[in-house]
Amino acid sequence: MNIWGREITNITLQLLLVLIIGGITGHIVILLFLLMLSIIVQQIIQINRFEKWIRKGGSAKSPKVKGVWEDIYYHVYRLKKSEKRRKKKLRVIIDQFRQSTEALPDAVVILGSHDEIDWSNKAARHVFGLKITDKGQRIPNLIRYPEFIRYLKSGNYKQSVILPSPIDRKVSLEVRVIPYGAGLRLLLAQDITQLKQMERMRKDFVANVSHELRTPLTVLKGYIETLQDMDDQNSPLLTNSFIQMQGQTERMQHLVDDLLLLARLETQQKKTSCVNVPELLMQICKEGDTLRHSSNRIELTLESDANIVGEEQELRSAFTNLVSNALKYSSDDSVVKVRWYQDSQLVILAVEDKGEGIAKYDIPRITERFYRVETKRAKKVSGTGLGLAIVKHVLMRHDAHLSVNSELSVGSCFSCHFPIKRICN
Ligand code: ADP
């Protein structure tokens, strides 16, 4: 018989006894009342004991009881025991996680929903100068760089932010925030000092080499021109060699100029002013037609009179590259459309040609340095493969971006999208 069966039998027997004695003595009601009272008092005593036991955590030895209460104590005891085991397992997992993140070379900080520090590893304490006692402090009060605070507040953590270490400014850190759980965030920081140094060395090397090549190239070009002037045209081989030499030195000069411009774009602060873009485009289109000896191939449409805050020389280089590419990579009798217009959010320069177009898989790569699409025509067209890399850099420095639409044998449209906030007239 189960415990509830025994309990009911017990009460039934007590009830029968009371009925018999009550029947003999004639006091059934009083005896029934006394029985009820005794059961209620017994239960109240048990509940009181149970409450005291559970208040102490329920892990102490349970009091000696019988019946249903014995079962209740036993089940609670078992629940408590399995909870204890689960907690122990969880503690081991958390300890393992903490030990492994503590040993990580990258800095890790767990942030709460109010930017407060929940936990940080050894590397974080080392590079950010945090202390174990900083737990609960808001991180913007400890890392006070405005760009970091802006990044943290923005809630847009797709990209990382590069900061100097607050305790050693020579150390560069790439900081990234990863949201997880309910309002929690993981802040990761990686020491990229070496990477930055190597990048700086590469930039310096390219800039120095390009600069050093300029003088010998100018001298070479000068001698070639003198020799060409002296050429009496008696030897076609010699004449042809001079033409080749002149062509190649010119190509090298373009290359050096483009590399120097790229180096400047990467390193120099820009001096901005309000650039009259319609005027600039008129000049570029006029020069484009003159340079390529084409008569009125360029069709310029100025639908907006917007001027842009920027660096005139840089914008001139970028726009010239786009117009000259459109002329270079399309047939000599086709029209190139240049359009300056705006909508509610953007001011756009579109350069459209009806040329050879670019294959889909080449489009993502054409802004890479030295990338040239291998086509029969491209082989004949001279270029450095740096033009669009320059365009991309210039646009990045003007909060703008380049969009390319192109179809093979149909044509291309290169558009520069400037945010409306750049307008200055
Ligand atoms: P390049 O000096 O070779 O013109 P760019 O960086 O300006 O270098 O362009 C990279 C490559 O992109 C070019 O070699 C060419 O293949 C392709 N390209 C650029 N503009 C156009 C265009 N308007 N039409 C077709 N192909 C183009």
Side-chain angles (χ1 to χ4, degrees):
M1 202 189 292
N2 70 16
I3 200 96
W4 279 104
R6 250 186 285 146
E7 200 73 6
I8 290 165
T9 320
N10 202 4
I11 292 174
T12 318
L13 285 175
Q14 285 182 40
L15 201 63
L16 271 174
L17 198 68
V18 164
L19 287 175
I20 295 167
I21 298 173
I24 296 166
T25 57
H27 297 296
I28 288 183
V29 179
I30 295 170
L31 286 174
L32 268 177
F33 174 74
L34 286 174
L35 176 67
M36 294 285 284
L37 199 68
S38 118
I39 290 172
I40 289 170
V41 169
Q42 269 180 44
Q43 293 308 317
I44 287 173
I45 290 168
Q46 293 295 4
I47 290 170
N48 181 262
R49 268 193 196 166
F50 182 72
E51 191 269 334
K52 272 187 192 154
W53 180 74
I54 208 99
R55 203 183 328 134
K56 283 182 190 155
S59 45
K61 213 170 164 231
S62 57
K64 280 233 172 310
V65 280
K66 288 257 173 283
V68 175
W69 281 103
E70 190 183 358
D71 243 31
I72 292 174
Y73 276 105
Y74 175 67
H75 288 310
V76 173
Y77 173 74
R78 266 194 34 202
L79 275 174
K80 280 270 162 195
K81 216 168 158 187
S82 76
E83 193 190 305
K84 218 168 157 182
R85 245 183 281 132
R86 225 184 16 248
K87 265 190 185 165
K88 204 170 158 189
K89 245 192 220 164
L90 220 65
R91 224 182 354 254
V92 171
I93 293 171
I94 291 172
D95 281 351
Q96 275 173 353
F97 167 76
R98 292 216 161 152
Q99 274 166 18
S100 54
T101 30
E102 186 75 19
L104 273 178
D106 294 343
V108 183
V109 184
I110 296 177
L111 296 176
S113 49
H114 300 291
D115 299 336
E116 75 279 13
I117 299 172
D118 221 12
W119 181 81
S120 61
N121 73 347
K122 206 161 134 193
R125 296 194 289 275
H126 180 67
V127 294
F128 289 128
L130 302 176
K131 292 184 228 92
I132 293 180
T133 48
D134 286 333
K135 186 174 171 351
Q137 293 260 24
R138 290 190 66 243
I139 202 152
N141 297 339
L142 303 168
I143 304 172
R144 291 168 167 265
Y145 297 119
E147 63 263 50
F148 171 69
I149 297 172
R150 236 177 287 129
Y151 174 68
L152 203 64
K153 264 192 191 161
S154 72
N156 179 8
Y157 305 128
K158 273 192 200 134
Q159 276 170 356
S160 54
V161 62
I162 294 173
L163 310 169
S165 156
I167 51 166
D168 182 357
R169 294 190 71 88
K170 277 184 253 145
V171 174
S172 296
L173 299 172
E174 184 178 9
V175 178
R176 181 181 292 276
V177 171
I178 300 162
Y180 74 99
L184 295 174
R185 279 159 302 164
L186 202 64
L187 184 142
L188 302 176
Q190 193 181 16
D191 186 342
I192 53 159
T193 317
Q194 264 191 343
L195 217 75
K196 278 248 155 200
Q197 258 167 7
M198 270 158 61
E199 206 180 303
R200 204 172 307 128
M201 272 162 64
R202 176 193 62 82
K203 281 180 194 164
D204 288 351
F205 175 76
V206 174
N208 289 339
V209 169
S210 315
H211 193 74
E212 291 303 319
L213 279 174
R214 255 186 156 179
T215 322
L217 262 175
T218 317
V219 175
L220 262 177
K221 213 175 156 224
Y223 278 124
I224 291 166
E225 273 167 18
T226 315
L227 286 171
Q228 266 182 321
D229 288 345
M230 286 162 63
D231 183 19
D232 50 14
Q233 313 272 323
N234 280 336
S235 159
L237 179 68
L238 213 61
T239 309
N240 198 29
S241 304
F242 287 146
I243 294 170
Q244 291 281 327
M245 279 155 78
Q246 193 213 19
Q248 290 304 321
T249 39
E250 247 169 39
R251 192 171 125 72
M252 237 156 125
Q253 215 160 22
H254 278 144
L255 206 72
V256 166
D257 287 346
D258 280 357
L259 279 171
L260 274 172
L261 178 58
L262 262 175
R264 267 205 309 276
L265 289 174
E266 281 179 331
T267 51
Q268 267 181 17
Q269 291 280 336
K270 59 179 188 298
K271 296 178 212 88
T272 52
S273 59
C274 190
V275 181
N276 186 336
V277 180
E279 176 71 39
L280 183 66
L281 287 173
M282 279 194 276
Q283 285 172 16
I284 290 171
C285 292
K286 208 169 153 194
E287 282 164 15
D289 265 335
T290 323
L291 272 176
R292 299 201 68 82
H293 312 293
S294 56
S295 52
N296 302 325
R297 269 187 70 193
I298 306 175
E299 215 176 87
L300 173 65
T301 318
L302 297 169
E303 288 168 29
S304 160
D305 59 356
N307 294 343
I308 291 284
V309 179
E311 221 276 305
E312 184 163 348
Q313 276 316 314
E314 290 183 12
L315 290 174
R316 180 185 289 276
S317 297
F319 297 167
T320 307
N321 269 317
L322 291 180
V323 172
S324 105
N325 275 354
L327 291 167
K328 266 195 319 191
Y329 297 106
S330 57
S331 60
D332 290 341
D333 53 358
S334 68
V335 169
V336 166
K337 288 184 182 162
V338 179
R339 191 173 159 223
W340 181 239
Y341 64 102
Q342 72 183 80
D343 60 23
S344 58
Q345 284 167 20
L346 298 165
V347 201
I348 300 165
L349 168 72
V351 181
E352 196 184 332
D353 64 62
K354 298 267 170 275
E356 62 197 53
I358 308 162
K360 252 200 179 81
Y361 51 84
D362 278 318
I363 293 178
R365 298 203 59 191
I366 52 172
T367 51
E368 285 174 21
R369 280 164 206 215
F370 299 112
Y371 190 82
R372 301 198 73 208
V373 181
E374 288 288 321
T375 59
K376 271 189 208 150
R377 187 185 165 83
K379 276 185 194 152
K380 285 187 224 143
V381 177
S382 73
T384 60
L386 292 171
L388 291 180
I390 292 172
V391 174
K392 188 176 143 188
H393 263 84
V394 170
L395 294 186
M396 245 160 57
R397 279 161 71 88
H398 288 80
D399 305 323
H401 77 269
L402 180 71
S403 124
V404 184
N405 278 310
S406 189
E407 204 177 318
L408 275 178
S409 316
V410 177
S412 314
C413 182
F414 286 75
S415 324
C416 309
H417 295 206
F418 294 88
I420 214 104
K421 64 170 192 237
R422 279 255 162 198
I423 294 182
C424 55
N425 45 339

